[in-house]
Amino acid sequence: MDFKTDFKADFKNDSRDKVDEPVVSTPNDSSSDFDDDAALRALGYVPSFKREFSNLSTISFAFSIMGMCSSISTTFDTPYVLGGPAAVVWCWILGSTMCFTLGCSIAEIISAYPTSGGLYMASASLCPKRYRAPVGWVVAWLNLLGQVAGVSSTEYGLSLMIWSAVSICRDGTFHASQGQVIGLFAGLLVLHGLLNCLPTKHLAFITKYFVFVNVGTTLLIIIVLLATTPRSAMNPPQMVFGTQGLSNGTSGDGIHSWPTGLAFLFGLLR
């Protein structure tokens, strides 16, 4: 018995709330939608939400969460200052590998439970019965805290990026105050909160092609940097593949520094 079949059979045999209500589908449903709905019926779950996000919209939504340009630029200074250029490169590769393996595991689990809020159904189905309540409680609160912290940090980073762009346009003569940063941060939260109140159909349309903008912008930045940076200003390969790129920026003001190895691992904070 394969992974998905085993999970589905376990949940079906253990489900306390089974229903036999028919699923009402619209003429616009694709074959994949029917497959997912059939899987849900096998779990004793009646779908009630419209599937208005296409595969492209879902992928674009995932890229918008990752935000390659914004996440790299807002967290670039931490590994560079604490661990050096080598920490920036190798910790990014190490962190990406870890995230990839985690993402593959979550994708395999959630694909076995194609539900809205699959996080909770999967966590409840993968733990013993007596632990389902505390596990569900912990998962729900961790998810809530992660959503709050993730959205807040993203909006705050965007506020800093906007004011930094203003400073660059004014040749560095403008410096935003903390009040201006927080004010723009609050305004962005309200604006994006209102955008997320739109119907799912409109959100899917807005998000649909963002993957091309995100990836295209990232590639454009890489090409422009390589094309416009003088050869004399480029670092030698030893900065990444040797010890020249390792530094320890954890010391200062007479405070003893952390070990260089730990300073290097601070690069994972990005």
Side-chain angles (χ1 to χ4, degrees):
M1 185 177 292
D2 62 20
F3 181 82
K4 295 182 182 179
T5 304
D6 189 21
F7 274 172
K8 291 176 182 178
D10 177 70
F11 183 83
K12 184 177 181 181
N13 294 331
D14 191 51
S15 179
R16 292 173 294 179
D17 300 315
K18 295 186 180 179
V19 289
D20 297 322
E21 299 177 18
V23 178
V24 179
S25 301
T26 63
N28 294 326
D29 288 341
S30 63
S31 58
S32 62
D33 292 343
F34 286 122
D35 293 340
D36 288 338
D37 289 343
L40 292 177
R41 287 195 297 271
L43 294 173
Y45 183 99
V46 175
S48 58
F49 293 102
K50 294 181 179 179
R51 300 180 185 276
E52 294 181 316
F53 269 74
S54 63
N55 290 336
L56 180 58
S57 297
T58 303
I59 293 173
S60 295
F61 180 73
F63 270 88
S64 69
I65 294 175
M66 289 188 294
M68 291 184 290
C69 295
S70 59
S71 60
I72 291 175
S73 59
T74 54
T75 59
F76 188 84
D77 60 328
T78 301
Y80 190 84
V81 172
L82 297 179
V88 175
V89 175
W90 293 112
C91 283
W92 185 85
I93 296 176
L94 179 61
S96 298
T97 303
M98 292 179 178
C99 289
F100 181 77
T101 56
L102 179 62
C104 289
S105 300
I106 294 176
E108 182 69 13
I109 294 172
I110 299 302
S111 66
Y113 302 98
T115 68
S116 176
L119 174 70
Y120 309 104
M121 175 174 281
S123 61
S125 301
L126 292 173
C127 68
K129 291 182 182 180
R130 60 177 177 172
Y131 297 124
R132 285 183 178 179
V135 167
W137 187 87
V138 171
V139 168
W141 274 105
L142 288 178
N143 184 53
L144 175 62
L145 294 175
Q147 295 289 349
V148 172
V151 172
S152 299
S153 62
T154 301
E155 300 290 15
Y156 186 77
L158 178 58
S159 176
L160 291 176
M161 291 177 64
I162 292 175
W163 286 121
S164 297
V166 173
S167 178
I168 292 174
C169 292
R170 297 188 179 183
D171 297 327
T173 59
F174 174 81
H175 299 283
S177 65
Q178 191 64 26
Q180 290 173 317
V181 173
I182 298 299
L184 181 56
F185 159 70
L188 291 171
L189 279 175
V190 173
L191 174 62
H192 293 155
L194 293 174
L195 285 176
N196 280 275
C197 292
L198 294 173
T200 309
K201 179 179 180 180
H202 300 316
L203 290 176
F205 177 77
I206 294 173
T207 312
K208 190 172 185 179
Y209 301 105
F210 185 77
V211 60
F212 303 108
V213 176
N214 202 330
V215 176
T217 303
T218 303
L219 293 177
L220 181 62
I221 292 174
I222 294 173
I223 294 173
V224 170
L225 284 176
L226 290 175
T228 59
T229 302
R231 186 72 178 179
S232 58
M234 295 184 179
N235 291 318
Q238 289 78 11
M239 293 295 290
V240 174
F241 299 102
T243 58
Q244 294 183 19
L246 292 175
S247 63
N248 193 333
T250 60
S251 63
D253 299 328
I255 301 175
H256 294 292
S257 64
W258 291 52
T260 302
L262 287 178
F264 174 83
L265 292 177
F266 275 124
L268 292 174
L269 293 176
R270 71 193 298 251

